[in-house]
Amino acid sequence: MSEERDEHPNVLIAAFEGWNDACQAATNAVRHLVDRYDAREIRHISCDGYYDYQVSRPMLCRALGSPRIIWPQTTFYEITISPTRRIFAQIAPEPNYRWREYCRQSLHIADELDVDHIVTLGSMFANCPHTRPVPVDVSHDLEVENPSEGYTGPVGIPTVLDDMAREQSFDTTSLWASIPQYTGNDDCPKATLALLDRLGEELGLTFDPGDLEAETRVWEAKASMLLHCSDQLAEYVHHLERDWDAAEEARRTAAANPAQAEQLVKEAEDFLKNL
């Protein structure tokens, strides 16, 4: 393994349409990289046996006047970020069937591409305000600092891919953006940009934001308009802002004075025990 390989391991970024992709934020992050950089398709996984076509329907397209059926499929890209850096990306609808076989096939392709590190992207609706930075949860190798606070419950294909990749000795990272649930299902460029920024931090890269910053301002303005139309929604968002600001203050306190933060936690626990 070369020194350059040690410094810049081959990375595969994976995002899947559907349950794991609120407002298409995760898959739009991959699409943004494909559109902004020199990208070429290098591998595919056939749709056969993986999809329920009443859920992931084929699309009718017309190229040069001729109709053509486009079937759901997985596409792998090689993306050249700079003359010295490249990454790989996988994008697909979430399969309906045979997840373990699908992940084995995905990891076989990752192995063929000499990938060391797999990064899955996801987005979910959450109770957070659109007026604050988009929260992006990061976990490495499916581990969290405090297991008692880690997520338990239903999972999607990114988590299954992470788990199987870890078992095959790939390094894994999972990035999940939280999107305000009251903003609807339209594309959320703010979450896409947040994922790209956090992904860049993980990989030691700075990605070109393109039009995402301007689109984010438009998205925020539309979200703010919703508050002008509903006093109840405005009060709800104000409550979310207070909670977000309090949590941020607690994190800053913990970073600046861990002993004081530990004491505050102990006092809170003692208070709750006496209720």
Side-chain angles (χ1 to χ4, degrees), residues 82-120:
S82 73
T84 59
R85 292 294 302 272
R86 68 171 183 176
I87 58 178
F88 299 105
Q90 173 182 3
I91 187 170
E94 182 178 56
N96 303 108
Y97 308 117
R98 300 167 58 207
W99 281 14
R100 284 176 289 188
E101 175 60 29
Y102 177 86
C103 289
R104 280 192 287 268
Q105 194 168 354
S106 297
L107 294 173
H108 177 71
I109 291 174
D111 195 49
E112 288 181 340
L113 298 174
D114 209 17
V115 163
D116 309 271
H117 186 186
I118 293 178
V119 182
T120 55

Side-chain angles (χ1 to χ4, degrees), residues 229-243:
C229 300
S230 171
D231 292 340
Q232 184 177 4
L233 179 58
E235 177 57 30
Y236 169 69
V237 173
H238 184 54
H239 174 75
L240 294 178
E241 290 172 333
R242 290 197 303 268
D243 289 347

